[in-house]
Amino acid sequence: MRTIGLIGGLSWESTVIYYQVINRRVRERLGGSHSANSLIWSVDYTTVEDLIFAGRWDEVGELLGGAGVALQAMGAELLLICSNTFSRVNDEVERAAGVPVLHIADAVGAAVSDRGMRKVGLLGTRFTMEESFYTDRLAAHGFEVIVPGPDERESIHRVIFEELIRGELRPSSRDAYVATIADLAAQGAEAVILGCTEIELLITDKDTAIPLLPSARLHAEAAAGFALAGSKRTVMEGIHDHG
């Protein structure tokens, strides 16, 4: 089994999802009391949050790249940045660490295309919804991505940074997210990507009329598939097998 390195703490609330899903997937596959060979490097979230709001993405890349180098030195053969927003520096981390970094948008995109969907909605931070680093990566998988209007995007972004990363789950915010998802469904979205890993803590499929695609869980499942696959399998083959 290959060793997975998780760059977490982005925030730690959602990094827990990764650890749980990866280990459960390995146990389901191998049975008994098996668990994953894994390492976690958890950063102080305030440090990186300050950098992204200051637009200092080069420094984010250096910081997370350093985490990737440390994980590789400890034996990680595959890395994950446990975040959608911070996947903006995915390539920088891969170059620094010298091992594959499984992009979260590829794990999500493979899941959408494997389901035959042609149009999906996206919720996430303002960075994820508005910048091309994420939406273009999704679109490369062959489907249309739509996002909420400006006011809704601002509300979604605020809830993530002021509530969800602090572990606050408010019914009023859940209701607002559900209403936004209903609007995306009315525009033809067949499903909605929860493109911020913390959103999975707030809402589930039970709350909505259309399916939700939880990015953290899809990312973690794809990583587990790659870790369990034969040595000649590629990252993308592992993604499609477990997307």
Side-chain angles (χ1 to χ4, degrees):
M1 188 191 326
R2 297 171 181 175
T3 300
I4 300 170
L6 303 174
I7 301 176
L10 303 166
S11 66
W12 70 262
E13 299 278 353
S14 59
T15 304
V16 173
I17 296 173
Y18 280 84
Y19 191 68
Q20 290 177 331
V21 170
I22 289 170
N23 282 292
R24 285 171 180 163
R25 176 66 73 181
V26 169
R27 185 172 61 192
E28 289 169 5
R29 176 79 171 271
L30 300 181
S33 56
H34 281 285
S35 57
N37 294 331
S38 61
L39 301 161
I40 300 177
W41 186 283
S42 190
V43 304
D44 179 356
Y45 189 78
T46 294
T47 301
V48 289
E49 183 182 48
D50 290 345
L51 291 175
I52 64 173
F53 278 103
R56 293 157 62 184
W57 284 100
D58 288 348
E59 293 176 58
V60 174
E62 291 174 4
L63 191 154
L64 299 189
V69 169
L71 289 167
Q72 185 276 332
M74 289 187 283
E77 299 165 87
L78 174 72
L79 300 179
L80 279 71
I81 298 173
C82 301
S83 166
N84 292 273
T85 297
F86 290 93
S87 70
R88 193 180 193 273
V89 297
N90 205 89
D91 293 347
E92 290 90 330
V93 173
E94 186 165 283
R95 284 194 295 270
V99 293
V101 181
L102 175 55
H103 201 296
I104 192 169
D106 287 336
V108 174
V112 174
S113 61
D114 287 347
R115 289 163 172 76
M117 295 176 176
R118 306 302 302 171
K119 186 176 186 179
V120 298
L122 171 65
L123 303 184
T125 67
R126 187 169 62 242
F127 307 104
T128 300
M129 291 186 289
E130 297 180 357
E131 296 186 25
S132 62
F133 75 91
Y134 195 85
T135 54
D136 284 358
R137 190 107 183 188
L138 287 175
H141 288 267
F143 54 86
E144 181 183 355
V145 180
I146 60 174
V147 298
D151 291 344
E152 290 79 9
R153 293 199 300 269
E154 186 58 37
S155 175
I156 290 164
H157 180 87
R158 181 194 60 76
V159 167
I160 291 168
F161 283 101
E162 295 182 10
E163 300 173 23
L164 300 185
I165 65 169
R166 301 174 185 177
E168 298 179 19
L169 307 176
R170 300 179 185 176
S172 59
S173 296
R174 180 181 296 110
D175 292 345
Y177 272 52
V178 169
T180 298
I181 290 168
D183 288 342
L184 292 171
Q187 296 174 52
E190 300 168 71
V192 169
I193 297 166
L194 303 185
C196 171
T197 52
E198 284 79 19
I199 298 176
E200 297 168 46
L201 303 169
L202 183 67
I203 57 175
T204 69
D205 280 320
K206 295 179 182 178
D207 300 310
T208 60
I210 59 174
L212 302 178
L213 298 168
S215 58
R217 295 179 190 279
L218 294 171
H219 199 198
E221 288 173 1
F226 179 70
L228 290 165
S231 60
K232 294 184 180 180
R233 303 296 297 283
T234 67
V235 174
M236 289 307 297
E237 286 172 329
I239 289 174
H240 282 287
D241 283 350
H242 297 272

Coordinates of all heavy atoms in Angstrom, one line a residue, residues 116-156:
G116 N -22.0 11.0 -15.9 CA -22.6 11.5 -17.1 C -23.3 12.8 -17.0 O -24.2 13.2 -17.9
M117 N -23.0 13.6 -16.1 CA -23.6 14.9 -15.9 C -23.0 16.0 -16.8 O -21.8 16.0 -17.1 CB -23.5 15.4 -14.4 CG -24.2 14.5 -13.4 SD -23.9 15.1 -11.7 CE -25.0 13.9 -10.8
R118 N -23.8 16.9 -17.3 CA -23.4 17.9 -18.3 C -23.4 19.3 -17.7 O -22.7 20.2 -18.3 CB -24.3 17.8 -19.5 CG -24.4 16.5 -20.2 CD -23.1 15.9 -20.6 NE -22.4 16.8 -21.5 CZ -21.1 16.6 -21.9 NH1 -20.4 15.6 -21.4 NH2 -20.6 17.4 -22.8
K119 N -24.1 19.5 -16.6 CA -24.1 20.9 -16.1 C -24.3 20.8 -14.6 O -25.2 20.1 -14.1 CB -25.3 21.6 -16.7 CG -25.4 23.1 -16.2 CD -26.5 23.8 -17.0 CE -26.6 25.3 -16.7 NZ -27.7 25.9 -17.5
V120 N -23.3 21.4 -13.8 CA -23.4 21.3 -12.4 C -23.1 22.7 -11.8 O -22.5 23.6 -12.4 CB -22.3 20.3 -11.8 CG1 -22.6 18.9 -12.3 CG2 -20.9 20.8 -12.2
G121 N -23.6 22.9 -10.6 CA -23.4 24.1 -9.9 C -22.2 24.0 -9.0 O -21.7 22.9 -8.7
L122 N -21.6 25.1 -8.5 CA -20.4 25.1 -7.7 C -20.6 26.1 -6.5 O -20.9 27.3 -6.8 CB -19.2 25.5 -8.5 CG -17.9 25.7 -7.7 CD1 -17.4 24.5 -7.0 CD2 -16.8 26.3 -8.7
L123 N -20.4 25.6 -5.3 CA -20.3 26.5 -4.2 C -18.9 26.4 -3.6 O -18.3 25.4 -3.6 CB -21.3 26.1 -3.1 CG -22.8 26.0 -3.4 CD1 -23.6 25.6 -2.2 CD2 -23.3 27.3 -4.0
G124 N -18.4 27.5 -3.1 CA -17.1 27.5 -2.5 C -16.7 28.9 -2.0 O -17.6 29.8 -1.9
T125 N -15.5 29.1 -1.7 CA -15.0 30.5 -1.4 C -15.1 31.3 -2.6 O -15.2 30.8 -3.8 CB -13.6 30.4 -0.9 OG1 -12.7 30.1 -1.9 CG2 -13.4 29.5 0.3
R126 N -15.0 32.6 -2.4 CA -15.0 33.5 -3.6 C -13.8 33.2 -4.5 O -14.0 33.3 -5.7 CB -14.8 35.0 -3.1 CG -15.0 36.0 -4.2 CD -15.1 37.4 -3.6 NE -14.0 37.8 -2.8 CZ -14.0 38.1 -1.5 NH1 -15.1 38.0 -0.8 NH2 -12.9 38.4 -0.9
F127 N -12.7 32.8 -4.0 CA -11.5 32.5 -4.8 C -11.9 31.3 -5.7 O -11.6 31.3 -6.9 CB -10.3 32.1 -3.9 CG -10.0 33.1 -2.9 CD1 -10.3 32.8 -1.6 CD2 -9.3 34.2 -3.2 CE1 -10.0 33.8 -0.6 CE2 -9.0 35.2 -2.3 CZ -9.3 34.9 -0.9
T128 N -12.5 30.3 -5.2 CA -12.8 29.1 -5.9 C -13.9 29.3 -7.0 O -13.9 28.8 -8.1 CB -13.3 27.9 -4.9 OG1 -12.2 27.7 -4.0 CG2 -13.6 26.7 -5.7
M129 N -14.9 30.1 -6.6 CA -16.1 30.3 -7.5 C -15.7 31.3 -8.6 O -16.3 31.2 -9.7 CB -17.3 30.8 -6.7 CG -17.9 29.8 -5.8 SD -19.5 30.4 -5.1 CE -18.8 31.6 -3.9
E130 N -14.8 32.2 -8.4 CA -14.6 33.3 -9.3 C -13.3 33.3 -10.1 O -13.2 33.9 -11.1 CB -14.6 34.7 -8.5 CG -16.0 34.9 -7.9 CD -16.1 36.3 -7.2 OE1 -15.0 36.9 -7.1 OE2 -17.2 36.6 -6.7
E131 N -12.3 32.5 -9.6 CA -11.0 32.5 -10.3 C -10.9 31.2 -11.2 O -11.6 30.2 -10.9 CB -9.9 32.5 -9.3 CG -9.8 33.8 -8.5 CD -8.6 33.9 -7.6 OE1 -7.6 33.2 -7.9 OE2 -8.6 34.6 -6.6
S132 N -10.1 31.3 -12.2 CA -10.1 30.3 -13.2 C -9.4 29.0 -12.8 O -9.6 27.9 -13.4 CB -9.5 30.8 -14.5 OG -8.2 31.2 -14.3
F133 N -8.5 29.1 -11.8 CA -7.7 27.9 -11.4 C -8.5 26.7 -11.1 O -8.1 25.6 -11.3 CB -6.8 28.3 -10.3 CG -7.5 28.3 -8.9 CD1 -7.6 27.2 -8.1 CD2 -8.0 29.5 -8.5 CE1 -8.2 27.3 -6.9 CE2 -8.6 29.6 -7.2 CZ -8.7 28.5 -6.4
Y134 N -9.7 26.9 -10.6 CA -10.6 25.8 -10.2 C -11.7 25.5 -11.3 O -11.8 24.4 -11.7 CB -11.2 26.1 -8.9 CG -11.9 24.9 -8.2 CD1 -11.1 24.0 -7.5 CD2 -13.2 24.6 -8.4 CE1 -11.6 22.9 -6.9 CE2 -13.8 23.5 -7.8 CZ -13.0 22.6 -7.0 OH -13.5 21.5 -6.4
T135 N -12.4 26.5 -11.7 CA -13.5 26.3 -12.7 C -12.9 25.8 -14.0 O -13.6 24.9 -14.6 CB -14.3 27.5 -12.9 OG1 -13.5 28.6 -13.2 CG2 -15.1 27.9 -11.6
D136 N -11.8 26.3 -14.5 CA -11.2 25.8 -15.7 C -10.8 24.3 -15.6 O -11.0 23.5 -16.5 CB -10.0 26.6 -16.1 CG -10.4 28.0 -16.7 OD1 -11.7 28.2 -16.8 OD2 -9.5 28.8 -17.1
R137 N -10.3 24.0 -14.5 CA -9.8 22.6 -14.2 C -11.1 21.6 -14.3 O -11.0 20.5 -14.8 CB -9.1 22.5 -12.9 CG -8.4 21.2 -12.7 CD -6.9 21.3 -12.8 NE -6.2 20.0 -12.6 CZ -4.9 20.0 -12.5 NH1 -4.2 21.0 -12.6 NH2 -4.3 18.8 -12.4
L138 N -12.2 22.1 -13.7 CA -13.4 21.3 -13.7 C -13.9 21.2 -15.1 O -14.2 20.1 -15.6 CB -14.5 21.9 -12.8 CG -14.3 21.8 -11.3 CD1 -15.4 22.7 -10.7 CD2 -14.4 20.4 -10.8
A139 N -14.0 22.3 -15.8 CA -14.5 22.3 -17.2 C -13.7 21.4 -18.2 O -14.3 20.9 -19.1 CB -14.6 23.7 -17.7
A140 N -12.5 21.2 -17.9 CA -11.6 20.4 -18.7 C -12.1 18.9 -18.7 O -11.7 18.1 -19.6 CB -10.2 20.4 -18.3
H141 N -13.0 18.6 -17.8 CA -13.5 17.2 -17.7 C -14.8 17.1 -18.6 O -15.4 16.0 -18.6 CB -13.8 16.8 -16.3 CG -12.6 16.6 -15.4 ND1 -12.0 15.3 -15.3 CD2 -11.7 17.4 -14.8 CE1 -10.9 15.4 -14.6 NE2 -10.7 16.7 -14.2
G142 N -15.2 18.2 -19.2 CA -16.2 18.0 -20.2 C -17.6 18.4 -19.8 O -18.6 17.9 -20.4
F143 N -17.8 19.3 -18.8 CA -19.1 19.7 -18.4 C -19.1 21.2 -18.1 O -18.1 21.8 -17.9 CB -19.6 18.9 -17.2 CG -18.7 18.9 -16.0 CD1 -18.8 19.9 -15.1 CD2 -17.8 17.8 -15.9 CE1 -17.9 19.9 -14.0 CE2 -16.9 17.8 -14.8 CZ -17.0 18.8 -13.9
E144 N -20.3 21.7 -18.0 CA -20.5 23.2 -17.8 C -20.6 23.4 -16.3 O -21.2 22.6 -15.5 CB -21.8 23.7 -18.4 CG -22.0 25.2 -18.2 CD -23.3 25.7 -18.9 OE1 -24.0 24.9 -19.5 OE2 -23.6 26.9 -18.6
V145 N -19.9 24.4 -15.8 CA -20.0 24.8 -14.4 C -20.7 26.1 -14.2 O -20.3 27.1 -14.9 CB -18.6 24.9 -13.8 CG1 -18.6 25.3 -12.3 CG2 -17.8 23.6 -14.0
I146 N -21.7 26.2 -13.4 CA -22.3 27.5 -13.1 C -22.2 27.8 -11.6 O -22.1 26.9 -10.8 CB -23.8 27.5 -13.5 CG1 -24.6 26.4 -12.7 CG2 -24.0 27.3 -15.0 CD1 -26.1 26.4 -13.0
V147 N -22.1 29.1 -11.3 CA -22.0 29.6 -9.9 C -23.1 30.5 -9.6 O -23.8 31.1 -10.5 CB -20.6 30.3 -9.7 CG1 -19.5 29.3 -10.0 CG2 -20.5 31.5 -10.6
P148 N -23.4 30.8 -8.3 CA -24.4 31.7 -7.9 C -24.1 33.1 -8.3 O -23.0 33.4 -8.7 CB -24.4 31.6 -6.4 CG -23.8 30.3 -6.1 CD -22.7 30.1 -7.2
G149 N -25.1 34.0 -8.2 CA -24.9 35.4 -8.4 C -24.0 36.1 -7.4 O -23.6 35.5 -6.4
P150 N -23.6 37.3 -7.7 CA -22.6 38.0 -6.8 C -23.0 38.1 -5.4 O -22.2 37.9 -4.5 CB -22.6 39.4 -7.4 CG -23.0 39.3 -8.9 CD -24.0 38.2 -8.8
D151 N -24.3 38.4 -5.1 CA -24.7 38.5 -3.7 C -24.6 37.2 -3.0 O -24.2 37.1 -1.8 CB -26.1 39.1 -3.6 CG -26.2 40.6 -4.0 OD1 -25.1 41.2 -4.0 OD2 -27.3 41.0 -4.2
E152 N -25.1 36.2 -3.7 CA -25.0 34.8 -3.1 C -23.6 34.4 -2.9 O -23.3 33.7 -1.9 CB -25.8 33.8 -3.9 CG -27.3 34.0 -3.9 CD -27.7 35.1 -4.9 OE1 -26.9 35.7 -5.6 OE2 -28.9 35.5 -4.8
R153 N -22.7 34.7 -3.8 CA -21.3 34.3 -3.7 C -20.7 34.9 -2.5 O -20.0 34.3 -1.7 CB -20.5 34.7 -4.9 CG -20.9 33.9 -6.2 CD -19.8 34.0 -7.2 NE -19.5 35.3 -7.7 CZ -20.1 35.9 -8.7 NH1 -21.0 35.3 -9.4 NH2 -19.7 37.1 -9.1
E154 N -21.0 36.2 -2.3 CA -20.5 36.9 -1.1 C -21.0 36.3 0.2 O -20.2 36.1 1.2 CB -20.8 38.4 -1.2 CG -20.2 39.2 -0.1 CD -18.7 39.2 -0.1 OE1 -18.1 39.1 -1.2 OE2 -18.1 39.2 1.0
S155 N -22.2 35.9 0.2 CA -22.8 35.3 1.4 C -22.2 34.0 1.7 O -21.8 33.6 2.9 CB -24.3 35.2 1.3 OG -24.9 34.5 2.4
I156 N -22.0 33.2 0.7 CA -21.4 31.8 0.8 C -20.0 32.0 1.4 O -19.6 31.3 2.3 CB -21.4 31.1 -0.5 CG1 -22.9 30.7 -0.9 CG2 -20.5 29.8 -0.5 CD1 -23.1 30.3 -2.3

